[in-house]
Amino acid sequence: RQRSETRSMLTVTLGRGSLPPRVEDRRVRRGAHRPGARISLVRAGAKPDEQEKSTLSAVVVGGGIGGLAAAVALRRIGVDAHVYERASTMRGNAGTGIAIWPNGVKALRFLGDDVASEVASRGCEITGMRMGMIDEPSARSGEPSSNGGGGISVALKKAATRLVGGAFPAIIRAQHGAGLICIRWAEAQAALASFLPAHCVHLDASLDDIELVEYVDGTTKARCTFVARDGTPSDAVTADFVVGADGVNSAVRAALMDDGAPRDNGRVIWRGVVDAARVARAHARATTGGTIGGGGSSDVVNRGDGFPEFCPRGATALSASKDSSVGRTVCFMDVGGGKLYWAAGCLDGGIVKGDDDAESCAATFENYPDVMACLEATKEEAEIGGAGTGGNFYTSRVLDRGPLFPGDAERFMAPAGPVTLLGDAAHPVIPSFGQGANLALEDAAELAIAMAGRGKSQSAASVLRAWERSRLERTAQAQIASFISGSKSYGEAKFAEAMRLSGISPDALARHKERFSDANSTQQWLIGWTPSVGTAARVKDLDPKAALRLAIRAANEAPSRRSALIAATAAGLASAFGTLSSAEASEETVDTGDRYAGDGFTMLLPKGWTATEAIGVSRSTVEVFAPGRTEPVAKMVKEPTFTMGGGGAGGAGSVYTSPENFGLYIAGTRRGSLRTSREVGGAVGGAFVAEGVGEDDKSPWVELIAIGCRGGEAAKKYNLLQTVRLTASFAGGADVEAVEGVRAIVNSFELSAGTTCA
């Protein structure tokens, strides 16, 4: 398994010439502030530990979208994946936004419905789009604007802000079974990181060296060392394979291929994330001389929904200048949480220089009231609370690399054995289709599928080669399409020169054009991706036994048992825990006495047990007593459940996705451990039960939650749903009879009025 290297290993470092070309003890320069990375080969005079061989392990270099998604996917098939990120913190305010297209959404769903839901909840599902071209007479002539900085305003309204509305997003959802989600990059990163145990994410860890360790039994593993920003080296970590997910300036790629710096495409992008309401106010002042709700021509602003007219709530807006020599593009996205992402790009030849990047952006886009409003709002936020509060302004260059093709898997990766590349490290793209993060999510899904299908005698390296060949067939076409689309604004002469330098051969270009007639056909092909095992498949179902073993070990290794349980819940591995004691629970029998009929539910009480109910205005309690006891052994609370509209969804599943997730949540709040979880409620179902022990590992507890309709016709008429919770705790663990009695009660529980009031 993956672990810090603490035992001595007899090694022989091979001299130069012993490794194939491009892998031979290569050091990669990554900047003067830290040492470079290298790949070398060593031989061990021993076999791997049996414990190491029992669980496949992985080092993921890079904690971005692709790296975190890969770690989540791999851990859900039982691979002990750890992420090593060179940043010292996960930045919560990174000023960029990304679009997750249907292919990315389907990749997230494959990782788990809980993962997809969490990411979606932090962003915005797009329901409207604005697209168009901008005619810039003043920009072409070089003359100043004729109407005080708003010279392009009329053109914007007539051409650039053509509202497509909900038609395009709705068509996408209908065609591909998923919509478009816009989200702040940092929120997507945080969402994915929340599904990993905290001790599996290592920050301030820059890759220093990778050694390919050949054991005497023929096994090859990768031994990695990392270094902190202050120069402190880490202990070596050995894993079955390494995934380089460290971006366009990948240290892993440089060690594998030594192909130099990424290509600069001669375009700058200024961007940020800002409060939409602040932008709306700035835009209203500039275009109408008023404020939100104070008159003027903007219906959206007047409506006061907090978003500017050029990008309404739930929308994205894209515009480009007609003049290819200008090459200006603007993009706006609702990224959720009342935030607006904005980006303004321009060819180097069209930049109007200012004293700094912000001034250059303002001078270049002075005739764009939407961009100027975003700049003003961004500046205001920075002045009010500092850049850390959301007033962020970023400048970046558009970088990519020539495409890698399936044959390159053998050419570049095979000599390095169990080392591979993922996401922008393998296939960076110009953002013309907005597919960078989506392709990385696809990579993560397909890597888990490949590793889950590994044969017993198959090496990790051979699995990686097959996965690379499959992925590079697709990603090469995505890179070519993105380059062509993103380079059209160069003009014919510049485009021809760009193609010459692109690394795309005439044959590859011809094959691509033969396959894809235009950008629209390419776009449909890109977003039409589905996992190779089918749309309905989920990664946790590929190898649940391996996932169980890893989850149990992670819980034991975690610094905090509570954090491990919560992490296991988030990782979608909870279902495994529920199988540990379910058979034992179902075999226990207790003599039953009377059936207790409550408001909308029933349960059997063990012989001699009693229950008393205290009815309140909105909240009622039931106390359950065992024979001879003066204190209740279990307490039940009933209270209203409020839903939107009539006939709202009921059942415990409307709050918790599964009995296992309910159980692990309760275990976390109790700072204890989960032993078993299950659904009860007879034919109707709708009730979840969890059993476990407290922090002392010996005090049992039992909890039940059920959501259903209250009794009577009035309840159905007025949609009177209620939540019923039963809790029982037994200090010390000696009261076996009481535990079995409570278990019999919850196993007999039924929602007599149904899970819904419909």
Side-chain angles (χ1 to χ4, degrees), residues 451-466:
M451 282 296 168
R454 183 178 70 104
K456 291 185 178 180
S457 61
Q458 192 176 10
S459 69
S462 66
V463 175
L464 293 177
R465 298 297 86 80

Side-chain angles (χ1 to χ4, degrees), residues 406-417:
D408 292 322
E410 296 298 327
R411 181 184 176 194
F412 295 116
M413 280 74 156

Side-chain angles (χ1 to χ4, degrees), residues 167-303:
F168 185 54
I171 291 171
I172 288 177
R173 286 192 295 273
Q175 289 180 334
H176 302 287
L180 170 62
I181 295 171
C182 291
I183 184 172
R184 197 169 185 172
W185 188 93
E187 289 292 345
Q189 181 193 43
L192 290 167
S194 72
F195 291 95
L196 293 171
H199 67 287
C200 294
V201 179
H202 310 266
L203 301 177
D204 194 14
S206 293
L207 180 66
D208 186 40
D209 289 313
I210 302 175
E211 290 181 323
L212 306 180
V213 182
E214 289 187 350
Y215 294 86
V216 295
D217 65 351
T219 303
T220 300
K221 293 178 179 284
R223 186 169 59 190
C224 302
T225 54
F226 298 87
V227 63
R229 288 178 178 268
D230 64 3
T232 304
S234 68
D235 292 334
V237 178
T238 299
D240 290 285
F241 62 98
V242 174
V243 179
D246 46 344
V248 68
N249 290 299
S250 168
V252 179
R253 179 180 179 124
L256 284 172
M257 300 176 57
D258 196 22
D259 60 346
R263 176 179 56 206
D264 190 314
N265 285 274
R267 179 182 291 276
V268 66
I269 297 180
W270 296 292
R271 67 189 194 276
V273 176
V274 69
D275 284 332
R278 194 180 298 276
V279 177
R281 288 192 294 269
H283 190 255
R285 288 193 298 269
T287 58
T288 69
T291 58
I292 297 176
S297 61
S298 172
D299 292 338
V300 174
V301 170
N302 290 340
R303 196 165 61 238

Side-chain angles (χ1 to χ4, degrees), residues 479-500:
Q479 286 183 280
I480 295 172
S482 298
F483 183 83
I484 293 172
S485 180
S487 302
K488 283 183 177 179
S489 61
Y490 292 174
E492 291 187 10
K494 289 184 179 179
F495 177 72
E497 177 65 11
M499 285 300 304
R500 187 182 68 82

Side-chain angles (χ1 to χ4, degrees), residues 599 601 603 612-614 618-624 634-641 704-707 722-727 749:
D599 184 5
F601 69 92
M603 57 187 181
T612 62
E613 183 172 1
S618 61
R619 187 174 187 268
S620 301
T621 60
V622 178
E623 293 184 335
V624 180
K635 292 184 178 181
M636 181 178 287
V637 175
K638 304 183 301 174
E639 53 192 354
T641 300
L704 172 147
I705 184 172
I707 299 176
Q722 64 177 348
T723 299
V724 181
R725 300 192 73 129
L726 179 146
T727 59
F749 183 92

